[in-house]
């Protein structure tokens, strides 16, 4: 007996009824599990799973498990990695314009930092990510940068002569060199050993990282300079991005934007909470301004306005934010 051949309509209905294929995605980041960026990545994974009934399964790789940011960048470019929360370190070394976001004393507060990252210059800068094989999904941030010194700073003194841990970012290395210090790029996981064995005698970090690693126990002074924004850029692999459905792209865009917005909103309070914890733990937290860097701030701006004129536009936005206060 001959069975009737399925009609095209029946086949289409069958295809619609079939469950969409489950997809495994990966996100890499250098921060450890307790850090806000990692917590946000875990929350993103939970939201993606909930909104797709488990179809999109995002595995989170914190603490540089997939390698350092240079290695993660290569994986993003080849499509071996889907998403990452990156500092601007590696991005600036490939496109100097990203370094303008780390200009010294650009804003006065973490609230202004968050607003600046939502502004037109920072937003438009994300278009440059395409040339690096990335798709921008928005900015987060970490705490405002501060300075820890293992030996005291004398009255009216500067950081000249100190060996200071930085991130490997051209503009930052240049800033510390101009301040007469010896900048020493080190990734987060190597910091503890380097500080406690005297390989470095100071570092640029934030209140959160200081308290969580107990770096204040090894510091004569915690200088509350809040001299630099530390942006995070949420990115997708441009190659992988093309392979997702339009619906999945819209979902990932929306959920990552919600996470980065939450991070930007959270950091002013995170900074304040960890500063208070440090004071409570007996750390010597001292407010300090541009004077501790000698004339580095002035000469840095003179040089980098020439090299990256986009900085001038960002400074105009930052000035307007400072004047709103
Ligand atoms: C750092 O290397 O100092 C750092 C990296 C990511 C988040 C916060 C700090």
């Amino acid at each position: 007996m001959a069975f009737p051949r399925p009609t095209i309509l029946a086949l289409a209905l069958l295809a619609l009824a079939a469950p969409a294929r489950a997809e495994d995605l990966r996100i890499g980041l250098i921060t450890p599990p307790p850090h806000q960026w990692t917590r946000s990545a875990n929350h993103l994974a939970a939201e993606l799973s909930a909104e797709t009934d488990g179809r999109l399964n995002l595995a989170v790789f914190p603490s540089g498990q997939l390698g350092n940011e240079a290695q993660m960048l290569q994986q993003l470019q080849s499509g071996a990695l889907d998403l990452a929360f990156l500092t601007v370190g590696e991005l600036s070394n490939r496109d100097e314009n990203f370094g303008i976001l780390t200009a010294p004393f650009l804003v006065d507060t973490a609230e202004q930092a968050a607003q600046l990252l939502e502004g037109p210059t920072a937003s438009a800068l994300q278009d440059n990510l395409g040339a690096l094989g990335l798709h921008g999904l928005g900015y987060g941030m970490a705490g405002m940068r501060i300075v820890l010194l293992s030996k005291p700073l004398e009255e009216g003194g500067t950081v000249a002569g100190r060996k200071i841990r930085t991130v490997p970012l051209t503009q930052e290395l240049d800033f510390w060199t101009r301040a007469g210090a010896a900048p020493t790029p080190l990734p987060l996981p190597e910091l503890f050993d380097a500080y406690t064995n005297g390989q470095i005698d100071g570092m640029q970090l934030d209140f959160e990282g200081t308290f969580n690693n107990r770096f204040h126990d090894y510091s004569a002074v915690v200088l509350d300079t809040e001299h630099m924004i530390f942006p995070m850029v949420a990115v997708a692999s441009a190659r992988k991005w093309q392979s997702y459905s339009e619906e999945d792209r819209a979902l990932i865009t929306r959920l990552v934007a919600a996470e980065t917005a939450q991070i930007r909103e959270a950091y002013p309070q995170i900074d304040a909470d960890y500063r208070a914890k440090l004071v409570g733990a007996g750390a010597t937290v001292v407010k300090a301004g541009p004077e501790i860097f000698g004339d580095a701030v002035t000469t840095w701006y003179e040089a980098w306005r020439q090299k990256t004129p986009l900085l001038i536009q960002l400074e105009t936005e930052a000035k307007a934010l400072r004047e709103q206060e």
Side-chain angles (χ1 to χ4, degrees):
M1 170 183 140
F3 290 100
R5 291 170 65 190
T7 61
I8 291 180
L9 179 64
L11 280 175
L13 285 173
L14 261 179
L16 278 178
R21 212 160 43 88
E23 198 155 349
D24 290 323
L25 309 179
R26 307 192 316 154
I27 182 166
L29 56 170
I30 57 166
T31 49
H35 193 273
Q36 181 59 52
W37 295 4
T38 312
R39 296 217 303 267
S40 296
N42 288 329
H43 187 252
L44 172 66
E47 290 288 297
L48 266 176
S49 178
E51 292 227 14
T52 61
D53 291 327
R55 184 177 56 78
L56 291 186
N57 173 39
L58 178 67
V60 179
F61 294 88
S63 306
Q65 282 173 18
L66 299 177
N68 59 29
E69 289 200 337
Q71 290 162 326
M72 281 197 268
L73 195 47
Q74 279 178 357
Q75 293 160 26
L76 288 160
Q77 286 165 339
S78 72
L81 179 61
D82 298 270
L83 302 168
F85 286 170
L86 298 175
T87 70
V88 287
E90 285 304 320
L91 302 180
S92 307
N93 294 339
R94 284 163 179 77
D95 178 343
E96 282 187 334
N97 285 303
F98 284 98
I100 65 171
L101 300 173
T102 65
F105 296 99
L106 192 54
V107 291
D108 294 332
T109 64
E111 285 88 349
Q112 291 169 8
Q115 285 177 280
L116 193 66
L117 292 171
E118 288 157 21
T121 305
S123 299
L125 197 50
Q126 286 190 89
D127 293 343
N128 293 18
L129 291 168
L132 304 178
L134 304 172
H135 174 79
L137 291 166
Y139 292 98
M141 59 190 271
M144 297 296 286
R145 302 304 259 180
I146 58 165
V147 181
L148 277 67
L149 296 177
S150 58
K151 298 196 185 70
L153 190 68
E154 63 283 6
E155 184 76 31
T158 73
V159 294
R162 313 278 179 130
K163 203 166 177 197
I164 302 288
R165 176 271 171 165
T166 61
V167 291
L169 191 163
T170 313
Q171 282 91 335
E172 190 177 316
L173 297 175
D174 183 52
F175 176 66
W176 283 96
T177 305
R178 287 173 189 278
T184 310
L186 282 174
L188 270 185
E190 286 172 32
L191 258 184
F192 189 85
D193 285 349
Y195 202 35
T196 52
N197 69 22
Q199 186 191 331
I200 48 169
D201 44 27
M203 67 175 83
Q204 174 167 283
L205 192 63
D206 52 31
F207 290 122
E208 182 185 20
T210 301
F211 185 83
N212 286 339
N213 293 287
R214 301 205 62 84
F215 287 139
H216 50 289
D217 287 345
Y218 306 90
S219 302
V221 65
V222 175
L223 295 169
D224 174 3
T225 49
E226 297 180 49
H227 62 282
M228 205 181 100
I229 304 174
F230 199 69
M232 176 267 267
V233 193
V235 295
S237 155
R239 184 174 277 210
K240 286 303 288 291
W241 195 249
Q242 301 310 319
S243 72
Y244 310 144
S245 68
E246 206 174 304
E247 192 189 9
D248 284 350
R249 286 202 289 257
L251 178 65
I252 296 169
T253 302
R254 174 167 63 78
L255 293 182
V256 176
E259 294 303 332
T260 52
Q262 190 276 333
I263 292 172
R264 292 193 306 271
E265 199 185 319
Y267 261 98
Q269 195 57 50
I270 294 175
D271 268 356
D273 289 348
Y274 276 103
R275 189 188 198 282
K277 283 184 189 186
L278 285 166
V279 172
T284 308
V285 182
V286 177
K287 197 87 191 130
E291 65 286 348
I292 68 154
F293 301 107
D295 65 359
V297 178
T298 310
T299 66
W300 186 95
Y301 275 99
E302 282 164 6
W304 286 97
R305 279 180 195 134
Q306 299 268 331
K307 290 191 209 187
T308 48
L310 201 57
L311 172 62
I312 300 164
Q313 197 177 304
L314 190 69
E315 284 182 76
T316 307
E317 275 175 54
K319 186 166 180 279
L321 290 170
R322 291 196 308 269
E323 286 173 356
Q324 262 174 32
E325 298 289 302

